[in-house]
Amino acid sequence: MPTLTVYFDENLRVLEGLPDACADLIYIDPPFNTGKTQKRTRLRTEAAHDGDRVGFQGKRYRTVRLETKGYSDKFDDFLAFIEPRIRHAHRILKKDGSLFFHLDYREIHYCKVLIDSVFGRDSFMNEIIWAYDYGGRSKRKWPAKHDTILWYARDPEHYTFNFEEVDRIPYMAPGLVGAEKAARGKTPTDVWWHTIVSPNGKEKTGYATQKPLGIINRIVRVHSRPGDMLCDFFAGSGTLGEAAYQHGRDCILVDNNRDAIETMKQRFKSIPVEWILP
């Protein structure tokens, strides 16, 4: 049975406690550019038999507080915030593992330059466009109806890509390809057309930034194998955890937002979960 572990904690602290090369697939959908004043306390964790934190595989750690800084959560600060987390993502990925980094059009190009510097430009595999058609339409510019997902392979020569697990999609002009091909469908490209989570659908958890299970399922099936360890350290509503459990993968989820934890508690009521709480 797959194992699902949820940490209610600051993700950098949890990442510092995870061992090298422990994750086969990382998917993150970080917050960005909120405009709010954020306070961050820099911490260091060290192994200790009587530590105040429980980490990976039950190991205990002591938390040492170093300093607290406040800043406005805008572009430059976001990059400073995300960089150490990307470096840990690179460290904890296995040799054939992958990182999927999900953001919208405002900051994704700056983040790509940052991730290139950590993973190496050769490790960049795809820019995936998730296109949807929902919500208001501006009369002053072209309405923004897509997110961007960057795929990086830890080793661009050896990575997991299960082509046989790629779900097929309908042809836009089935009459041009013949009945057999039309019935089989075609494989997606790097543009993924998928609706957002319906406000009235069964999938909806009420969490503001919830991503569709269909998008995450595709990533999980194609870029990991049964029994693999998946990780999302900006877990939000826990969509990666649900996809992982459905497809027989283990998963580590981390979030320090109480609303996210409460949402996951409701979402995972029928799933065995190890909750690591303060």
Side-chain angles (χ1 to χ4, degrees), residues 21-81:
C22 65
D24 298 279
L25 172 65
I26 298 173
Y27 166 87
I28 54 173
D29 171 27
F32 60 95
N33 217 5
T34 63
K36 297 179 181 179
T37 299
Q38 305 284 353
K39 287 186 177 180
R40 306 285 177 188
T41 300
R42 195 161 66 89
L43 304 168
R44 183 180 72 244
T45 54
E46 53 190 29
H49 179 70
D50 59 346
D52 59 333
R53 298 275 174 182
V54 179
F56 191 71
Q57 295 181 335
K59 295 179 181 178
R60 300 197 71 88
Y61 296 86
R62 179 185 297 116
T63 302
V64 180
R65 294 179 177 271
L66 301 178
E67 61 180 344
T68 299
K69 293 183 177 180
Y71 61 87
S72 178
D73 186 12
K74 295 190 178 184
F75 164 64
D76 290 336
D77 299 309
F78 177 71
L79 287 184
F81 166 76

Side-chain angles (χ1 to χ4, degrees), residues 6-269:
V6 180
Y7 288 83
F8 181 21
D9 207 338
E10 208 287 322
N11 57 17
L12 189 56
R13 179 162 47 226
V14 175
L15 287 167
E16 288 170 345
L18 296 180
D20 295 353
C22 65
D24 298 279
L25 172 65
I26 298 173
Y27 166 87
I28 54 173
D29 171 27
F32 60 95
N33 217 5
T34 63
K36 297 179 181 179
T37 299
Q38 305 284 353
K39 287 186 177 180
R40 306 285 177 188
T41 300
R42 195 161 66 89
L43 304 168
R44 183 180 72 244
T45 54
E46 53 190 29
H49 179 70
D50 59 346
D52 59 333
R53 298 275 174 182
V54 179
F56 191 71
Q57 295 181 335
K59 295 179 181 178
R60 300 197 71 88
Y61 296 86
R62 179 185 297 116
T63 302
V64 180
R65 294 179 177 271
L66 301 178
E67 61 180 344
T68 299
K69 293 183 177 180
Y71 61 87
S72 178
D73 186 12
K74 295 190 178 184
F75 164 64
D76 290 336
D77 299 309
F78 177 71
L79 287 184
F81 166 76
I82 205 70
E83 180 177 6
R85 290 153 175 84
I86 295 299
R87 293 193 181 279
H88 276 295
H90 185 263
R91 177 184 64 80
I92 70 172
L93 272 176
K94 294 181 181 178
K95 186 177 177 64
D96 62 349
S98 290
L99 167 71
F100 283 79
F101 185 90
H102 187 154
L103 217 59
D104 85 351
Y105 65 92
R106 293 180 182 88
E107 319 293 347
I108 194 67
H109 43 299
Y110 301 111
C111 290
K112 184 184 184 302
V113 174
L114 169 63
I115 304 173
D116 281 350
S117 72
V118 175
F119 276 71
R121 292 181 67 179
D122 289 345
S123 288
F124 173 65
M125 306 301 294
N126 271 123
E127 177 188 49
I128 298 166
I129 301 300
W130 167 35
Y132 44 83
D133 190 12
Y134 187 86
R137 292 180 177 274
S138 172
K139 295 182 179 179
R140 302 184 61 185
K141 61 179 182 179
W142 300 109
K145 298 297 177 186
H146 79 276
D147 284 6
T148 302
I149 305 173
L150 304 178
W151 169 27
Y152 284 82
R154 181 66 168 78
D155 179 349
E157 299 298 325
H158 303 90
Y159 54 86
T160 301
F161 189 88
N162 303 316
F163 181 77
E164 67 280 1
E165 292 293 330
V166 177
D167 53 308
R168 291 184 171 267
I169 60 176
Y171 281 93
M172 295 184 69
L176 298 179
V177 298
E180 184 178 345
K181 276 192 174 183
R184 185 169 65 247
K186 61 180 179 179
T187 54
T189 66
D190 59 359
V191 177
W192 296 0
W193 290 91
H194 195 292
T195 186
I196 66 167
V197 178
S198 170
N200 302 315
K202 293 181 179 180
E203 188 179 330
K204 186 70 173 178
T205 65
Y207 198 79
T209 59
Q210 181 183 356
K211 298 303 182 290
L213 192 57
I215 293 291
I216 309 304
N217 274 338
R218 180 178 289 173
I219 293 172
V220 167
R221 288 196 309 267
V222 176
H223 296 279
S224 67
R225 299 168 295 260
D228 278 358
M229 175 62 76
L230 280 50
C231 181
D232 181 354
F233 47 88
F234 291 98
S237 67
T239 302
L240 183 72
E242 181 172 339
Y245 187 82
Q246 287 183 2
H247 298 290
R249 278 73 160 164
D250 299 329
C251 191
I252 295 172
L253 300 172
V254 187
D255 210 295
N256 66 347
N257 183 320
R258 187 171 298 277
D259 289 341
I261 298 300
E262 293 303 318
T263 297
M264 286 189 276
K265 283 183 176 179
Q266 291 298 313
R267 187 172 197 171
F268 300 149
K269 283 191 295 186

